[in-house]
Amino acid sequence: FSSDAAKRLAAAEALKLVAPGMRLGLGTGSTARHFVDLLGARVAGGLDVICVPTSEQTRAQAEQLFIPLATIDSVPELDLTVDGADEFDARLRLIKGGGGALLREKIVATASRRMIVIADSSKQVKTLGAFPLPVEVTPFGLEVTCRMIRATAEATGATGSIRPRQTAGGKAFISDNGNYIVDCHFGALPDPDELARRLSAIPGVVEHGLFIGVAKAVISAGPEGVEIFGR
Ligand code: DER
């Protein structure tokens, strides 16, 4: 039972939450890709929805499927966002940003009445942090910002290396918003809520990948089938 099959199963389960006329946020990543794919088939069958993509990558996929798209400014209130996650814990706190889309994902998720995560069951963790925490930072002052992130993290008991993300070609990764992403290899996070608050206070930090109190539910799929946490 492959991880891809699990992702598709979770995506199919999330599709049951979609009703005609809904305003949807479309997530980014390989699991969200399955959701957009399945949604496209329903749109081809006549489903009436209007969607806001969380990345240029998702926009391109949705356009190819003739999914009706709108900007977040023209649809500032969404009914439902379906998106993936790199990790989720028992309190539905998330680490996101593996795909570099965390800023638009968090804006769209928090503009939605409900944000639902779809994930392979391997994303479930007891403690967040095995996955390096992505942080979107301004190009201006990168070194200063990294130094502040390190000091802030240490104050919450998290330590480790902070690495500016690079593309496969070894160039600096640039987000859809023209910013850099740094990956924080802190390991287990003793206090995600406090770390989230402190990271948000650093001037050069645009947004970070800790999604606290954002997800209403997680649809998790694995060899044992689908499990839904929250509602
Ligand atoms: O980058 C992101 O936030 C993605 O949603 C990521 O968290 C999950 O990506 P995956 O579905 O490819 O594992």
Side-chain angles (χ1 to χ4, degrees):
F1 190 85
S2 75
S3 163
D4 201 55
K7 293 177 176 181
R8 193 132 185 119
L9 190 59
E13 187 66 28
L15 200 59
K16 297 176 184 172
L17 300 172
V18 174
M22 264 192 176
R23 301 159 298 177
L24 299 174
L26 304 182
T28 296
S30 61
T31 313
R33 169 168 288 280
H34 282 300
F35 177 76
V36 173
D37 205 24
L38 294 169
L39 180 70
R42 293 281 303 281
V43 164
L47 176 68
D48 161 41
V49 288
I50 186 78
C51 302
V52 174
T54 54
S55 64
E56 293 309 308
Q57 176 187 12
T58 296
R59 172 197 303 286
Q61 181 194 4
E63 280 171 354
Q64 280 167 2
L65 292 165
F66 305 106
I67 292 174
L69 295 179
T71 63
I72 186 72
D73 302 309
S74 62
V75 185
E77 281 182 20
L78 300 168
D79 302 297
L80 172 69
T81 285
V82 175
D83 199 351
D86 296 298
E87 287 183 340
F88 68 90
D89 71 4
R91 289 165 50 184
L92 305 191
R93 298 179 296 186
L94 315 175
I95 284 188
K96 283 180 60 53
L102 66 95
L103 176 59
R104 295 191 183 184
E105 288 175 332
K106 199 180 274 190
I107 292 170
V108 169
T110 49
S112 307
R113 298 220 342 251
R114 264 180 107 204
M115 186 261 191
I116 303 289
V117 171
I118 50 177
D120 174 293
S121 57
S122 68
K123 304 294 185 70
Q124 183 170 15
V125 297
K126 264 190 73 52
T127 309
L128 294 174
F131 189 93
L133 175 62
V135 181
E136 182 152 341
V137 300
T138 56
F140 179 84
L142 175 65
E143 278 318 305
V144 170
T145 301
C146 286
R147 199 172 65 230
M148 290 182 175
I149 291 172
R150 192 170 294 109
T152 298
E154 274 163 15
T156 68
T159 58
S161 67
I162 300 173
R163 302 178 200 156
R165 189 175 295 184
Q166 294 195 332
T167 63
K171 294 201 175 2
F173 173 90
I174 307 291
S175 73
D176 287 344
N177 319 296
N179 298 313
Y180 291 157
I181 299 275
V182 297
D183 292 302
C184 302
H185 297 255
F186 291 153
L189 301 176
D191 189 346
D193 296 31
E194 183 57 23
L195 178 58
R197 269 192 295 276
R198 289 175 182 240
L199 286 174
S200 296
I202 298 173
V205 168
V206 178
E207 195 45 79
H208 55 75
L210 283 168
F211 283 49
I212 312 273
V214 175
K216 285 280 188 302
V218 173
I219 298 175
S220 167
E224 66 288 347
V226 175
E227 215 173 340
I228 300 180
F229 304 94
R231 56 174 183 75

